[in-house]
Amino acid sequence: MTTTEYGIVYAVHIITVQFGSVVSKVCEFLLRRGPLSSREISRLVEPDMSYNQVKDILCLLIQHNCVQAFSIEPPDGSESKATVQYIVLCNNILHRVRYNKFSRIVNEELDFKCGAVLDGLLSNGRLTLGQLIERDKDSGKPTGSEEIRESLQKLVADRFVERIPSPEPVLGNKEQELAKKKGSKAAKILKEPETLEERVLEAATPVDAIRFPHIFEQDSNSPLADNDSNIPEGKRKQRDVDSSDHNNEVIWRPNFEEFIRRLRHKACVEIVKERRDEGCAIVLKAMLEVGRSHEKKVKTDKSVPMSLSSIYEEVMKTEAGRTLVLERVEACLDQLSATSSYLPAFVIEMDDSYVVDFKSILSVAQKDEVQAVVMRRYGKEAFRMFRYLSQEGRFVETNKIADAALTEKKDTPQILLKMWKDGYLHMQKLVVTGSYVPFLLWKVNKLIVTKQMLDEMYHASLNLSLRLAHELELEKEVILLSSRERDKKIKAKGLLLSSTRFKLDDAIMIFHDF
């Protein structure tokens, strides 16, 4: 999904708060104009900053995983050289407000030592093992180089940390590639990435053997070796020397993809727990554990098929799961596979195996969020109309909507028009021969509504961030004035704002990241 207007404003605000207005100016040009070369950026920002300043800013944004450099291969026969361009990674910028969530995952699933190593990577963007050890030495309570090494190994093993991508991947000329693939079987099987950003990220990301090198290690005495002797030849990809520093030490960074996957799974479990019961949530969580290693991308619609035995085996690994007998697990799977007028099937049963339907689970949460907004903004009657249209999924005539939603026919058009003007409904006029007044047909356009909701949530997050910054400034003034009562009130307000922004970000991920 493309970034909305307030999504861009919010991303620029995040960069401004963390790096200053000069850096955010470069970032905003990339967000609004798309990929640019350093010379093009320099011309746009003149005379506010020099070309060298632009290069320094781009290096800073790359260091913090907010920008990726790339170039496109010139057409065949062309003597021109490929120009290095820079593309902003808006999702990575938005992830910066989620660092506390990422740290919490590691602290809960691994330990606080691993959490400390992750915090170092989150705050610095990219570091080598040597730099992590030096950072530990400079801290008040150093844990030791071996502890840092072991913690980093655990983080890479669980894919929370990865080797940095290729610094300047070269993309093939798309027209030439399509011409070569035209008519071939590969063209029918392989799906081209939809956006330039996806093409750049795909080209920059190394194969798993290089991205998570320890997985293929044979020498236990060298858990984070920097050579590729331990990587099977068939899985080896051309090594990019720029992915290491001058001492040939591997550079590491947080793997945001894995954190979002974990948060997505957690959200799915919470939805099932709320809509079904605790037992179904335990079974679904086990299914997600079984299928996680097979997920090739975060936004996957369905999991791989899983057998009952593999699900039950995973259920038995948890303390809560050990209270469930096999018959209870089967009953939970039946519940998850059932459909109703209000709930879709969360799990698909096929050939003695089970598949998690992520799309169905998350659609329930999205629908709840949208309908809650419609209820608050337009009232109960509008909520009933919107819910009916969502269930129908097609154009419906005004009078039929009034009958289904049990509303007055004279009030129905006005309510529907309000929602249409705000972008929540799609309207179509149907002219009937012999009638002076056209019939109005109404439908919920899910794509438009989702984008509308997302933009409104970005706007709300921006306002909350600005208000929170204001309250923090007030808190500093109060400390100087030593007013205890007022200090408590401002701190309480700050905590409320932080908590609200935290929950709002969960909703944003439901619509954008999951």
Side-chain angles (χ1 to χ4, degrees):
M1 184 180 290
T2 54
T3 308
T4 67
E5 174 59 28
Y6 274 110
I8 291 172
V9 176
Y10 185 40
V12 171
H13 168 74
I14 291 168
I15 294 295
T16 304
V17 169
Q18 298 185 4
F19 300 108
S21 58
V22 176
V23 177
S24 69
K25 188 172 184 178
V26 171
C27 194
E28 185 169 9
F29 275 120
L30 289 171
L31 282 164
R32 294 194 180 279
R33 293 176 181 250
L36 298 168
S37 68
S38 55
R39 290 290 179 190
E40 288 171 331
I41 298 169
S42 183
R43 284 194 289 270
L44 288 168
V45 298
E46 284 179 349
D48 294 337
M49 60 186 88
S50 66
Y51 175 65
N52 286 334
Q53 282 179 298
V54 169
K55 287 178 70 177
D56 289 341
I57 289 169
L58 289 170
C59 286
L60 174 69
L61 290 169
I62 289 169
Q63 169 70 24
H64 286 274
N65 309 301
C66 298
V67 164
Q68 172 70 50
F70 73 99
S71 58
I72 297 176
E73 198 175 65
D76 288 342
S78 174
E79 295 181 0
S80 61
K81 291 183 179 180
T83 304
V84 177
Q85 298 181 68
Y86 298 88
I87 187 168
V88 69
L89 307 177
C90 188
N91 287 345
N92 285 6
I93 294 173
L94 298 176
H95 290 334
R96 298 188 69 81
V97 300
R98 298 170 184 146
Y99 283 1
N100 286 340
K101 294 178 182 179
F102 298 165
S103 293
R104 183 180 295 178
I105 290 170
V106 168
N107 288 335
E108 289 175 356
E109 296 195 16
L110 297 176
D111 54 48
F112 288 102
K113 291 177 183 177
C114 292
V117 172
L118 176 70
D119 288 343
L121 289 168
L122 290 172
S123 57
N124 291 279
R126 305 173 175 199
L127 293 173
T128 64
L129 174 59
Q131 289 170 327
L132 285 166
I133 291 170
E134 285 299 317
R135 183 176 178 275
D136 176 63
K137 286 178 182 176
D138 293 339
S139 67
K141 297 178 180 178
T143 58
S145 59
E146 282 306 311
E147 291 282 359
I148 298 296
R149 184 184 292 269
E150 287 174 15
S151 295
L152 181 57
Q153 186 178 1
K154 287 180 185 177
L155 288 164
V156 178
D158 278 19
R159 303 201 168 195
F160 291 127
V161 167
E162 63 180 356
R163 179 179 282 186
I164 65 167
S166 173
E168 286 179 20
V170 179
L171 303 188
N173 188 289
K174 199 170 184 182
E175 290 180 6
Q176 290 175 194
E177 286 180 359
L178 290 174
K180 288 177 184 176
K181 289 180 181 178
K182 193 174 182 182
S184 68
K185 289 183 180 179
K188 295 173 185 177
I189 297 169
L190 295 173
K191 185 182 177 182
E192 286 291 318
E194 294 178 1
T195 64
L196 178 61
E197 182 179 339
E198 287 173 337
R199 290 181 68 205
V200 171
L201 292 177
E202 184 182 349
T205 305
V207 294
D208 285 355
I210 295 175
R211 191 179 177 191
F212 309 104
H214 85 288
I215 294 170
F216 304 94
E217 295 278 344
Q218 300 297 324
D219 181 6
S220 60
N221 294 322
S222 182
L224 293 169
D226 295 324
N227 60 63
D228 287 335
S229 60
N230 53 348
I231 300 173
E233 189 65 31
K235 295 183 179 179
R236 193 173 297 176
K237 192 175 182 180
Q238 182 178 359
R239 180 162 181 159
D240 197 324
V241 294
D242 290 321
S243 68
S244 303
D245 66 7
H246 298 300
N247 297 320
N248 200 33
E249 222 181 336
V250 177
I251 305 173
W252 304 96
R253 73 170 190 176
N255 178 16
F256 296 136
E257 188 180 276
E258 186 61 30
F259 285 109
I260 296 300
R261 180 179 287 111
R262 302 292 178 113
L263 290 170
R264 187 182 199 235
H265 287 184
K266 186 179 178 183
C268 287
V269 172
E270 288 300 318
I271 293 164
V272 168
K273 184 178 178 180
E274 184 181 329
R275 290 304 189 126
R276 293 298 186 187
D277 57 38
E278 183 77 32
C280 289
I282 292 169
V283 171
L284 183 81
K285 188 176 181 181
M287 294 179 76
L288 298 177
E289 286 294 323
V290 173
R292 188 172 66 223
S293 61
H294 300 283
E295 290 181 30
K296 301 300 180 186
K297 58 180 182 177
V298 174
K299 290 186 179 182
T300 184
D301 288 344
K302 292 178 175 67
S303 72
V304 295
M306 290 165 257
S307 65
L308 175 60
S309 59
S310 64
I311 297 167
Y312 186 63
E313 185 181 338
E314 189 64 39
V315 168
M316 290 297 102
K317 290 180 182 179
T318 62
E319 188 176 341
R322 283 190 282 273
T323 63
L324 303 180
V325 295
L326 182 59
E327 289 79 7
R328 175 71 173 113
V329 173
E330 288 178 317
C332 288
L333 287 168
D334 288 340
Q335 270 186 277
L336 291 167
S337 306
T339 58
S340 68
S341 57
Y342 290 102
L343 282 180
F346 294 151
V347 168
I348 302 167
E349 186 176 358
M350 46 191 290
D351 300 328
D352 297 324
S353 61
Y354 299 88
V355 173
V356 177
D357 192 338
F358 290 104
K359 194 172 182 179
S360 290
I361 297 171
L362 294 167
S363 69
V364 171
Q366 290 174 349
K367 194 183 292 182
D368 287 348
E369 289 288 342
V370 175
Q371 289 180 359
V373 170
V374 169
M375 171 74 91
R376 286 196 302 269
R377 191 170 292 180
Y378 307 105
K380 289 182 180 180
E381 290 182 332
F383 165 74
R384 291 199 298 269
M385 294 178 197
F386 189 88
R387 185 175 62 182
Y388 168 69
L389 287 170
S390 296
Q391 289 168 355
E392 288 296 306
R394 61 182 177 84
F395 280 105
V396 182
E397 196 266 323
T398 308
N399 286 341
K400 285 186 179 179
I401 296 170
D403 293 337
L406 303 175
T407 55
E408 291 289 337
K409 289 187 178 181
K410 62 182 177 66
D411 298 329
T412 302
Q414 283 76 22
I415 297 170
L416 291 168
L417 276 168
K418 282 181 184 177
M419 290 192 282
W420 170 71
K421 285 178 181 177
D422 290 341
Y424 284 87
L425 295 180
H426 187 57
M427 180 181 67
Q428 186 173 308
K429 291 182 180 180
L430 183 64
V431 180
V432 181
T433 306
S435 175
Y436 293 103
V437 182
F439 282 96
L440 296 181
L441 304 175
W442 310 87
K443 178 186 174 183
V444 173
N445 189 321
K446 290 182 181 178
L447 286 175
I448 293 174
V449 168
T450 298
K451 191 171 182 180
Q452 173 84 5
M453 279 287 296
L454 196 56
D455 198 48
E456 290 178 7
M457 287 190 287
Y458 283 138
H459 191 185
S461 291
L462 174 66
N463 288 339
L464 281 169
S465 297
L466 292 170
R467 182 61 188 270
L468 184 59
H470 175 69
E471 292 298 331
L472 289 172
E473 283 297 318
L474 283 179
E475 190 177 327
K476 289 177 185 176
E477 292 177 13
V478 168
I479 289 170
L480 292 172
L481 295 171
S482 301
S483 174
R484 289 186 180 181
E485 196 62 37
R486 194 181 172 197
D487 186 25
K488 284 181 183 178
K489 287 181 181 179
I490 291 173
K491 280 185 177 178
K493 195 180 289 184
L495 286 171
L496 179 62
L497 289 168
S498 296
S499 175
T500 304
R501 189 177 68 169
F502 194 87
K503 290 175 183 176
L504 184 56
D505 185 63
D506 288 342
I508 288 173
M509 286 191 288
I510 289 284
F511 283 88
H512 182 262
D513 299 276
F514 298 166

